[in-house]
Amino acid sequence: GAIGGASLGEVVDLKIKGTINSYDIIVLNQKMPILQNLDLSEAQIVACDFPYYDGYCTEDSKLTSYLFYNKQSLRSIKLPVKMQGDMGNGVFSNCKGLKMVVLSEGITSIGAGAFGNCYSLINVVFPKGLLRIEGGAFTSNTRSADKSDNKYRCKIKNIVLPESVKYIGACAFEYSCLESITLPPNLET
């Protein structure tokens, strides 16, 4: 059934089927303060000229910049199957509770700061066709001079990048808890 205005604030788990646009992103980000698990695997993001955040609007089958910015209650997200091209900057920036993301196969680039300050992030499933990880994509700000203080660091410990990755930008994993990374053989930068 439909979710009404008063009950929006009580939604913890949500699966969306069909199309979503900027208006829906506004509802998810601003009217659902305790939303933890979001399943968009059967949804399709469509273009809308109305901005969901600071001039940014949804585009067809794209993870546009700052789409879920500062959605701190979010723990896990399954993205739409039909995604394409570049993942924008700061898509999940400041999603401090986010633990797991499965990136859609059509995504070819992870934008700058896409997972910036995602302190709880422990697992990202990368698409096989990923080509680029932009600078600061998984960077966490450290608020402590003590480098052993992991409170404000991305928690991913091990990463195996797909063989398709050709570029990793500067400081892509700065201030993370990364212990090992398997680089693809054809990495250029």
Side-chain angles (χ1 to χ4, degrees):
I3 300 171
S7 61
L8 287 174
E10 300 170 13
V11 176
V12 175
D13 301 299
L14 181 63
K15 179 173 183 142
I16 297 176
K17 297 180 180 183
T19 59
I20 62 171
N21 63 28
S22 292
Y23 293 104
D24 302 303
I25 298 301
I26 291 169
V27 171
L28 291 170
N29 288 340
Q30 297 178 11
K31 304 292 183 187
M32 298 183 173
I34 62 171
L35 178 63
Q36 292 183 15
N37 304 301
L38 180 59
D39 184 347
L40 299 175
S41 60
E42 295 181 43
Q44 180 180 0
I45 298 173
V46 296
C48 178
D49 291 335
F50 189 83
Y52 56 83
Y53 174 79
D54 200 24
Y56 294 98
C57 303
T58 53
E59 298 176 25
D60 289 340
S61 301
K62 298 249 184 202
L63 287 175
T64 47
S65 293
Y66 305 101
L67 196 64
F68 294 102
Y69 172 75
N70 209 31
K71 184 66 180 165
Q72 295 187 27
S73 63
L74 197 60
R75 301 292 180 260
S76 70
I77 185 165
K78 292 180 185 175
L79 296 172
V81 172
K82 295 180 182 180
M83 298 302 302
Q84 60 188 29
D86 299 341
M87 182 175 164
N89 298 334
V91 173
F92 296 104
S93 180
N94 282 348
C95 290
K96 296 175 182 174
L98 187 62
K99 293 182 178 188
M100 191 206 166
V101 176
V102 176
L103 296 176
S104 307
E105 285 301 321
I107 294 171
T108 56
S109 175
I110 298 174
F115 295 95
N117 297 327
C118 290
Y119 304 142
S120 301
L121 194 60
I122 56 173
N123 190 20
V124 175
V125 178
F126 296 99
K128 292 176 187 162
L130 183 67
L131 299 172
R132 298 176 63 88
I133 299 174
E134 298 298 335
F138 294 89
T139 296
S140 295
N141 290 335
T142 181
R143 296 186 182 171
S144 171
D146 178 6
K147 300 294 184 198
S148 66
D149 181 1
N150 291 333
K151 182 176 181 182
Y152 298 109
R153 299 173 191 264
C154 176
K155 304 297 186 280
I156 298 175
K157 293 191 182 288
N158 304 298
I159 291 179
V160 177
L161 294 175
E163 290 194 16
S164 57
V165 174
K166 303 282 185 217
Y167 172 85
I168 300 174
C171 306
F173 300 97
E174 185 175 38
Y175 299 121
S176 70
C177 292
L178 200 57
E179 294 174 359
S180 73
I181 184 167
T182 303
L183 300 173
N186 298 322
L187 186 66
E188 296 169 3
T189 308

